[in-house]
C-alpha cells in the first residue's frame, strides 16, 4: 500500500516497486482512512510519504500496528528526534527523513520488512513468556492451596494436580484454575 499526496511521485514509486516485483494493492492520497484501507486490502507493507506526521496520522499508524500489524515505512521531511521517536512508538518500522526517491524505496522496504519480522518474533516470544509465567503462577497458587488445605507437601500437591489433569485430559494450568476455583467457591477455609 502506497500513501503519498504527490500523485506524480506516487506513480514513479509505484512503477519502481512493480519493476522490483512488488504489487501495489492500493494507492491513497492521505492517511485519513489508513486503518480501514489496511483492513480491506491487507497489504504486506505500508509505505507512507508525509511532510510531517501529525497526531492523527500517528494514531492511525498505531491502530494499524496494534490491530493489523505489518511493516510501515514512513518517509517524512520532519527529522527531529521527537518526531522519529513518536513514529517508532506508533509502530513505524523504518523512518526516512530525507525524502522518498524511487531508487531507494526497495532496499528500505526490504530492511523494514526484516526488522518488522524480528520485532514480531520478539513480541511473540515475550507474549509466550508472559503466558508461561502466568500459568506458572496459577500452578504454584493451586499447589499452595492443596498444601495448606490437604496437608500435602509440594511434591504431593504437584502429583495430585498432574494426576487430575491426566485423568481429565487437561493441561496442568487448566487443572490449577479448577483447583483455585473450587477453593474460591468454598472459601479460604478449605473443603
Amino acid at each position: 500500500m502506497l500513501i503519498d499526496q504527490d500523485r506524480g511521485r506516487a506513480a514513479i514509486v509505484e512503477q519502481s516497486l512493480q519493476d522490483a516485483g512488488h504489487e501495489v494493492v492500493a494507492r491513497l492520497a492521505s492517511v485519513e482512512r489508513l486503518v480501514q484501507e489496511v483492513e480491506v486490502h491487507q497489504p504486506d507493507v505500508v509505505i507512507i510519504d508525509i511532510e510531517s506526521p501529525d497526531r492523527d496520522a500517528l494514531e492511525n499508524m498505531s491502530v494499524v500496528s496494534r490491530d493489523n500489524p505489518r511493516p510501515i515505512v514512513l518517509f517524512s521531511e520532519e527529522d527531529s528526534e521527537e518526531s522519529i521517536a513518536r513514529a517508532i512508538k506508533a509502530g513505524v518500522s523504518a523512518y526516512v527523513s530525507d525524502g522518498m526517491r524511487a531508487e531507494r524505496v526497495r532496499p528500505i522496504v526490504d530492511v523494514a520488512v526484516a526488522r518488522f519480522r524480528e520485532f514480531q518474533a520478539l513480541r511473540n516470544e515475550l507474549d509466550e513468556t508472559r503466558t508461561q509465567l502466568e500459568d506458572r503462577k496459577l500452578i504454584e497458587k493451586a499447589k499452595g492451596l492443596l498444601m495448606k488445605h490437604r496437608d500435602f507437601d509440594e511434591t504431593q500437591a504437584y502429583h495430585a494436580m498432574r494426576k487430575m489433569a491426566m485423568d481429565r485430559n487437561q493441561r496442568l494450568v487448566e487443572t490449577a484454575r479448577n483447583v483455585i476455583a473450587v477453593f474460591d467457591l468454598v472459601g479460604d477455609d478449605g473443603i
Side-chain angles (χ1 to χ4, degrees), residues 5-13:
Q5 292 175 316
D6 184 331
R7 292 179 189 261
R9 181 177 49 214
I12 292 168
V13 171

Side-chain angles (χ1 to χ4, degrees), residues 34-98:
L34 179 64
V35 174
Q36 297 85 353
E37 295 296 329
V38 166
E39 183 67 34
V40 168
H41 297 287
Q42 293 294 311
D44 293 332
V45 179
V46 176
I47 301 170
I48 302 171
D49 186 24
I50 191 169
E51 191 173 310
S52 178
D54 62 15
R55 185 179 55 88
D56 291 337
L58 292 171
E59 177 62 26
N60 284 333
M61 289 179 233
S62 182
V63 171
V64 166
S65 294
R66 182 191 68 220
D67 297 345
N68 217 333
R70 61 202 62 251
I72 298 175
V73 178
L74 179 62
F75 291 88
S76 176
E77 298 302 318
E78 179 65 50
D79 65 353
S80 72
E81 286 184 30
E82 183 181 324
S83 290
I84 294 168
R86 284 194 317 257
I88 298 299
K89 186 174 182 181
V92 169
S93 305
Y95 189 105
V96 182
S97 63
D98 60 353

Side-chain angles (χ1 to χ4, degrees), residues 70-189:
R70 61 202 62 251
I72 298 175
V73 178
L74 179 62
F75 291 88
S76 176
E77 298 302 318
E78 179 65 50
D79 65 353
S80 72
E81 286 184 30
E82 183 181 324
S83 290
I84 294 168
R86 284 194 317 257
I88 298 299
K89 186 174 182 181
V92 169
S93 305
Y95 189 105
V96 182
S97 63
D98 60 353
M100 178 163 47
R101 293 194 303 274
E103 68 275 3
R104 294 181 53 219
V105 172
R106 189 187 55 77
I108 290 170
V109 167
D110 291 345
V111 169
V113 168
R115 290 187 58 154
F116 175 80
R117 287 182 180 147
E118 285 181 26
F119 179 75
Q120 285 301 106
L122 287 172
R123 177 182 275 171
N124 292 341
E125 186 177 329
L126 178 60
D127 289 346
E128 187 177 310
T129 301
R130 284 182 177 152
T131 300
Q132 289 172 349
L133 180 60
E134 289 302 314
D135 290 353
R136 191 79 222 138
K137 286 179 182 178
L138 288 172
I139 291 167
E140 292 299 318
K141 181 176 181 179
K143 281 191 329 188
L145 288 168
L146 288 173
M147 289 165 59
K148 177 179 177 184
H149 296 290
R150 292 291 186 213
D151 205 25
F152 287 166
D153 65 23
E154 187 172 359
T155 303
Q156 289 171 319
Y158 176 78
H159 286 299
M161 284 193 339
R162 196 172 98 197
K163 181 179 179 339
M164 196 182 325
M166 290 171 66
D167 290 347
R168 295 179 181 178
N169 199 22
Q170 290 180 322
R171 292 179 52 230
L172 186 59
V173 70
E174 293 305 316
T175 300
R177 282 189 182 102
N178 292 339
V179 167
I180 293 166
V182 167
F183 279 106
D184 284 347
L185 186 65
V186 297
D188 199 59
D189 295 335

